[in-house]
Amino acid sequence: DIQLTQSPSSLSASVGDRVTITCRASQDIRSGLGWFQQKPGKAPKRLIYDASRLQSGVPSRFSGSASGTEFTLTITSLQPEDFATYYCLQYSNSPFTFGPGTKVDIK
Amino acid sequence: QVQLVQSGAEVKKPGASVKVSCKTSGYTFTDYYLHWARQAPGQGLEWMAWINPNSSATNYAQKFQGRVTVTRDTSISTSYMEISSLRFDDTAVYYCASLAPSGPGVWGQGTLVTVSS
């Protein structure tokens, strides 16, 4: 099975900060990775698919990139509604696997 | 708009079974695989299975093989996820979701299944 690691596991940031979250895959998954945002008590919401494609309706301050087996989610100017937990998901191979999550909270 | 609406919360005893439904609307049910995932209290997301609504083919994570069954009823655009031999550590929120990159990327609202004696 493909393993995903995320770093950091948590971070504290201020409104307006640039935030970067990294997801590393244990083997080549090409561009088969998505990013999800989850707020407490709510279902996850897809932000990015195919490593860098922005989901319709998602603000452009969110972006995704890839380099080999390392994937990055960037939030260019953190907004109050962005404080949440972020997960990556690989769908290149079954079984699909989620990363362990990165919690973004207010500094 | 695309919606996935799940059945309500369940409380079950250890050893029992539970069946959660996921009714879809707003898109052609057979166009995209439907996935199931779960989240134990305070924990991360865990992928469980997918079903191809067109062919009914399924694929399960190994830890759920033999204990989880995913089915669908195309006449009502609904998928079902049944877990048998429930254990305390099956207590979780269960989600259905359209995860295909070309698909709508929408999740159900989640169904809390509590296993308690």
Side-chain angles (χ1 to χ4, degrees):
Chain A
D1 297 0
I2 295 174
Q3 309 301 318
L4 296 179
T5 58
Q6 282 185 240
S7 60
S9 56
S10 65
L11 65 91
S12 295
S14 301
V15 173
D17 283 354
R18 179 185 181 94
V19 168
T20 299
I21 299 168
T22 298
C23 178
R24 288 186 177 84
S26 60
Q27 57 187 269
D28 183 16
I29 58 171
R30 297 171 294 282
S31 60
L33 185 120
W35 288 97
F36 296 82
Q37 176 193 68
Q38 187 179 34
K39 297 180 181 179
K42 299 294 187 183
K45 171 187 173 184
R46 189 166 72 181
L47 304 173
I48 301 286
Y49 62 96
D50 287 350
S52 61
R53 300 174 74 92
L54 190 68
Q55 178 74 24
S56 175
V58 172
S60 59
R61 62 181 180 271
F62 292 94
S63 65
S65 62
S67 177
T69 58
E70 183 173 299
F71 300 81
T72 301
L73 174 70
T74 300
I75 311 171
T76 52
S77 177
L78 200 65
Q79 297 301 299
E81 60 269 30
D82 300 337
F83 292 97
T85 300
Y86 293 84
Y87 294 93
C88 53
L89 165 75
Q90 74 80 21
Y91 47 80
S92 177
N93 284 20
S94 268
F96 290 18
T97 43
F98 286 96
T102 296
K103 185 175 182 180
V104 177
D105 61 22
I106 301 171
K107 184 184 289 184
Chain B
Q1 76 278 24
V2 175
Q3 282 191 299
L4 278 60
V5 179
Q6 299 181 223
S7 49
E10 304 263 11
V11 179
K12 296 291 184 181
K13 293 191 184 304
S17 297
V18 68
K19 192 171 187 177
V20 178
S21 67
C22 173
K23 182 169 178 57
T24 72
S25 61
Y27 73 101
T28 302
F29 179 62
T30 50
D31 276 356
Y32 305 108
Y33 287 23
L34 204 63
H35 297 253
W36 289 86
R38 74 178 185 181
Q39 188 169 39
Q43 303 301 309
L45 295 164
E46 182 175 29
W47 182 84
M48 300 176 66
W50 57 247
I51 184 166
N52 177 344
N54 195 42
S55 68
S56 77
T58 52
N59 182 270
Y60 300 92
Q62 186 160 9
K63 74 177 284 186
F64 299 109
Q65 196 89 32
R67 205 165 64 91
V68 170
T69 305
V70 176
T71 56
R72 87 334 184 194
D73 183 339
T74 56
S75 68
I76 54 172
S77 302
T78 298
S79 176
Y80 304 91
M81 189 280 301
E82 183 171 22
I83 312 175
S84 61
S85 304
L86 283 164
R87 307 188 291 244
F88 292 117
D89 63 359
D90 290 319
T91 294
V93 176
Y94 289 80
Y95 293 102
C96 60
S98 169
L99 296 179
S102 57
V106 175
W107 292 61
Q109 82 276 19
T111 297
L112 174 62
V113 174
T114 303
V115 183
S116 173
S117 55

